[in-house]
């Protein structure tokens, strides 16, 4: 987007605009040419411009009136692009179901990271996702069992995807600079068929990580007995961060009589 289209960044919308060209290239090049992509929060378009040169179809979801109007005027002359003007939390489900994208990309608004990632991880896309977060959130998502920051999101993204850290960026890669580093995560489908429903897994991790310092027997008190944990091969004295994805699936199936 040209400079005169620029407006003062809106803090409430998490507007920190990417200006590092090598990062822009690496994010865009993670996505193969010719595919269908949804980008969340194009803003002035650092990633959008790069994607417009690669994607077969690009749909952007933007809440900011100024940026949405700008991209709508671009879309009038470019049939690769379409624009959804609204809140991604409201629009995403309909957009994914109607567009059926291969990929989802975005430098995500910081305030939505957790709930938006839980929503995104429910979609089994054929291509994958390339998503930018505050580094601390990216670390939580990519964490392995045993790590202090391993939690519900780390389990949920593994339902359909392998997780890779693609790059870490300092505050100066953005304008205005955020307070913390950012990091980009690449999710690619692992192709295994899931052994439980995503929505059930989501309920299980919510309950299981409710009290991180308690044992899982305590977190599931009244729902699963110590004997039942033993029967599914899980030591009930373990803490939630010690359980891997397969353990969480076993607990989910135990809770739901599958
Ligand atoms: N993609 C641009 C870049 O990398 O420079 C902007 C990224 S900025 C971190 C986040 C973008 O998401 C902004 O354009 C902001 O207006 C948009 N945004 C914030 N909240 C949103 C929401 N709930 N729904 C859709 N877009 C939102």
């Amino acid at each position: 987007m040209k400079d005169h289209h620029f407006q003062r960044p809106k803090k409430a919308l998490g507007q920190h605009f990417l200006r590092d060209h090598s990062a822009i290239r690496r994010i865009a090049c993670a996505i193969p040419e010719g595919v269908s992509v949804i980008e969340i929060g194009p803003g002035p378009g650092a990633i959008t411009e790069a994607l417009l040169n690669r994607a077969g179809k690009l749909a952007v979801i933007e809440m900011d009136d100024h940026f949405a109007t700008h991209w709508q005027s671009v879309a009038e002359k470019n049939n690769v692009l379409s624009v959804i003007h609204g809140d991604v939390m409201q629009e995403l489900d309909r957009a994914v179901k109607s567009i059926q994208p291969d990929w989802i990309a975005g430098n995500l608004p910081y305030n939505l990271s957790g709930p938006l990632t839980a929503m995104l991880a429910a979609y089994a896309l054929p291509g994958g996702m390339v998503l930018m977060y505050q580094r601390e959130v990216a670390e939580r998502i990519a964490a392995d069992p045993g790590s202090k920051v391993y939690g519900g999101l780390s389990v949920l993204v593994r339902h359909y995807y392998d997780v890779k850290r693609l790059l870490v960026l300092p505050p100066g890669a953005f304008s205005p600079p955020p307070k913390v580093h950012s990091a980009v995560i690449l999710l690619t489908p692992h192709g295994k068929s899931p052994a439980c429903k995503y929505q059930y897994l989501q309920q299980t991790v919510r309950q299981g990580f409710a009290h991180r310092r308690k044992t899982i027997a305590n977190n599931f008190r009244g729902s699963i007995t110590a004997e039942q944990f033993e029967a599914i091969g899980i030591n009930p004295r373990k803490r939630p961060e010690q359980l891997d994805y397969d353990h969480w699936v076993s607990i989910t199936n135990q809770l739901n009589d599958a």
Side-chain angles (χ1 to χ4, degrees):
M1 186 186 273
K2 291 191 191 76
D3 280 351
H4 64 271
H5 290 303
F6 230 77
Q7 60 166 3
R8 187 189 291 271
K10 295 186 182 121
K11 231 180 173 176
L13 291 179
Q15 293 182 347
H16 296 279
F17 304 128
L18 184 58
R19 58 192 196 112
D20 178 314
H21 291 286
S22 133
I24 294 166
R25 237 187 339 270
R26 287 193 61 193
I27 292 169
C29 290
I31 298 179
E33 289 189 36
V35 298
S36 164
V37 184
I38 290 180
E39 186 195 357
I40 298 168
I47 303 168
T48 320
E49 303 277 6
L51 288 176
L52 271 177
N53 290 326
R54 290 183 76 78
K57 284 271 169 212
L58 175 65
V60 295
I61 306 179
E62 175 59 66
M63 189 163 164
D64 185 299
D65 296 344
H66 172 82
F67 292 132
T69 307
H70 165 74
W71 292 113
Q72 271 158 349
S73 73
V74 175
E76 280 166 19
K77 292 169 235 117
N78 185 335
N79 59 14
V80 169
L81 182 66
S82 60
V83 181
I84 297 163
H85 182 181
D87 179 352
V88 63
M89 301 305 285
Q90 309 294 325
E91 303 294 337
L92 184 66
D93 201 51
R94 202 169 357 158
V96 171
K97 287 186 176 137
S98 66
I99 295 165
Q100 302 202 341
D102 301 300
W103 283 79
I104 293 180
N107 173 8
L108 303 182
Y110 291 163
N111 55 331
L112 299 180
S113 308
L116 182 51
T117 303
M119 229 169 135
L120 285 168
Y123 301 118
L125 303 187
M129 304 192 198
V130 51
L131 305 170
M132 170 126 56
Y133 295 94
Q134 288 180 284
R135 179 165 61 176
E136 179 226 312
V137 178
E139 281 308 320
R140 282 202 271 134
I141 292 169
D144 288 316
S147 152
K148 266 204 186 124
V149 294
Y150 179 73
L153 288 181
S154 341
V155 177
L156 293 177
V157 292
R158 284 166 173 80
H159 195 59
Y160 291 118
Y161 297 100
D162 286 327
V163 185
K164 197 176 141 196
R165 298 167 177 85
L166 194 66
L167 63 148
V168 173
L169 291 166
F174 302 87
S175 172
K179 289 205 174 70
V180 294
H181 278 60
S182 301
V184 180
I185 293 283
L186 179 68
L187 302 180
T188 47
H190 50 54
K192 296 174 215 149
S193 16
C196 71
K197 270 197 179 164
Y198 181 85
Q199 283 68 19
Y200 290 167
L201 182 67
Q202 208 175 354
Q203 287 160 11
T204 307
V205 295
R206 196 172 297 139
Q207 187 176 351
F209 280 99
H211 306 282
R212 295 181 67 92
R213 297 165 72 100
K214 289 191 181 172
T215 63
I216 46 159
N218 263 322
N219 276 328
F220 289 103
R221 185 171 297 280
S223 316
I224 306 181
T225 64
E227 293 70 31
Q228 286 172 320
F229 271 118
E230 304 280 6
I232 57 172
I234 297 174
N235 178 343
R237 287 174 298 283
K238 286 210 164 166
R239 304 206 182 264
E241 70 267 20
Q242 294 175 290
L243 302 183
D244 66 18
Y245 170 80
D246 289 340
H247 290 135
W248 286 104
V249 170
S250 302
I251 298 174
T252 302
N253 288 335
Q254 177 68 39
L255 284 171
N256 295 283
D257 297 323

